[in-house]
Amino acid sequence: MSWPGTFKMAECGASGSGSSGDSLDKSITLPPDEIFRNLENAKRFAIDIGGSLTKLAYYSTVQHKVAKVRSFDYSGKDTEQDHEPPYEISVQEEVTARLHFVKFENTYIEACLDFIKDHLVNTETKVIQATGGGAYKFKDLIEEKLQLKVDKEDVMTCLIKGCNFVLKNIPHEAFVYQKDSDPEFRFQTNHPNIFPYLLVNIGSGVSIVKVETEDRFEWIGGSSIGGGTFWGLGALLTKTKKFDELLQLASRGQHTNVDMLVQDIYGGAHETLGLSGNLIASSFGKSATADQEFSKEDMAKSLLHMISNDIGQLACLYARLHCLDRVYFGGFFIRGHPVTMRTITYSINFFSKGEVQALFLRHEGYLGAIGAFLKGAEQDNPNQYSWGENYAGSSGLMSSSPELCPTQRARSGTFDLLEMDRLERPLVNLPLLLDPSSYVPDTVDLTDDALARKYWLTCFEEALDGVVKRAVASQPGSVDAAERAEKFRQKYWNKLQTLRHQPFAYGTLTVRSLLDTREHCLNEFNFPDPYSKVKQKDNGVALKCFQRVVSALDALDWEERQLALVKGLLAGNVFDWGAKAVSDVLESDPQFGFEEAKKKLQERPWLVDSYSKWLQRLKGPPHKCALIFADNSGVDVILGVFPFVRELLSRGTEVILACNSGPALNDVTYSESLIVAERIAAMDPVIHSALREERLLLVQTGSSSPCLDLSRLDKGLAVLVRERGADLVVIEGMGRAVHTNYHAALCCESLKLAVIKNSWLAERLGGQLFSVIFKYEVPAE
């Protein structure tokens, strides 16, 4: 097969997990560089070849631009010039690691291998890890095409390694499927301890594995009645040879025409037996006595129910036998097919009386490939890092439901992509979470709330022009900035349209995931920090006001000062370039400042107002250590947060100030906070001595998001929180304290405060624009 730069294939309603819809008499052309991204920097390969699908995994290095800040060297200067910025910005190249996973039909394996061979400029790769039956079948072809040695890996070991990896690293990887609910998909939050669990892998047959730890697992049972049985019997009954066509027949069938139900045997008496009349008493039972022809669709549906129910009951029995309540299903048979998932879920619920949960995985098709890759990468210790899904390069979970926009489903053709970026530091739970296993960062589930979903998707669409403009303006010396910004616009717009039709594509849809997807797309086209110049200017202006603000606060009596400090925090939080109501004001009125922001604030009583309770607490003993999550640069962190920090320090409270590791909107980053703190320390003896004596510590969160997930924080921050015995958490900002963590339960005192800068959200919360949230919470005894 030839592949001259683009690849043509039949278009079908293919799901991301391999299931296909009705075939369409069209074809689409996919550029190979959109499928095998960054192939020229690939360092290591792994491949998992099943009966019909090939899953390729490869590790590459990605070079991208990063905005760095550093202090000017002021040595030899007597005074600073008013017009000088507080620090300089430079854009540098950084190399990070990325994992790529591509799934395609075996029909295209030769063409894909040809393309990989032609674009493999890296000669370091000598071996390719391979698993699955095709590792044997296609071994010679792979070695001949790629000139690499094939190293075959154990299928079960690879599956378990891959499953552990996705469960630990991809939030909302696992989901419950409820066909008659809206939404059908209910995603699980990352559990801090994923073990033990049962993995039921349904290929040609069924393998049931009990997984106890990272490296300890045991094959405990199985069945010869699996996906191959459905395919084989289905082919005999319907004369349909293709698995996906068989699934399509089943989705249109009515099994009750073929199956004998309880009500067919007992009539109305089934109620006295405590049985549902719709229960299947005998699969294919009617075909023995009925003198009629049965449709292919009905027979396929009956067969699917028979196999799925059998597997569900078997899985349930093994789960009960081994005292396990979580069962993950994967393998060729599932393929994201709604009828299959629904039947297995029903079967598990029925036989376990709801005590065992059937869970499916967004990326179950990649488990073997991921495991094979990890086996070959053990010398690089990939498990010592945390990884994150890169939404810009992943195609997401696609539903095969026909009602969901066929053009969107067909866009990925027969290919499905997943990309994961290696994060610099391991991410862990905040030790102060009351119950990490039940913690949900996001306040509103947009997958569930259709009205909110429609509003926020439109909101992000309407903001796109402004983001594009800001991105171009941030790189005035770049000749291709406008072209790259246009590509960013198109990519993010496409993502938003996909999410309109498939809100569950990347797990639970939230404001946080929409913001994170935008950041990923900006980085994709080398816009690492579109707000870097804005932040530099805002920080410079705010630093010049710091001493005046602090002097005014010091002149107040104690009680007045506490309210003024809180109002300062809130006024600072107004300066959010991510909020349209604010950015419009800041664009049109350059003189809008700290005092003007205070006037915008809602008068007390606030929308949520625990201030009196907080003031009473301040009259008691000081807190031992406060952990403060800062939000925006400029006025927010310098005139809002630092005076508040200064007051806590004066009370004898140690402070850990946590800022984003990487840029997002105009949020203050860790590297910027270091410079800001250094400049404030030069003006203020309280901050100066606290930094010197390490009573004030600046740390990074491990996040590059405008929102905050307390279950994925930098390990160094978690260690520090434990060591210092933090007993107060302060979370400020709309993204961190309203969109996320509004309901977060902590085992210490907490302050959550924000100004609502979105009219729709304010109205929904029962307030108006610039309403105030001041939520002081004390854990129950």
Side-chain angles (χ1 to χ4, degrees), residues 442 493 690 700 753 776:
D442 303 289
W493 176 266
Q700 52 186 317
L753 48 111
Y776 170 57

Side-chain angles (χ1 to χ4, degrees), residues 34 52 73 124 131 188 283 320 377 380 405 446 642 753 762 766:
E34 284 187 19
S52 65
D73 180 8
E124 293 171 37
T131 190
Q188 308 290 295
S283 295
R320 298 293 287 270
D380 292 339
C405 187
L446 302 181
F642 265 98
L753 48 111

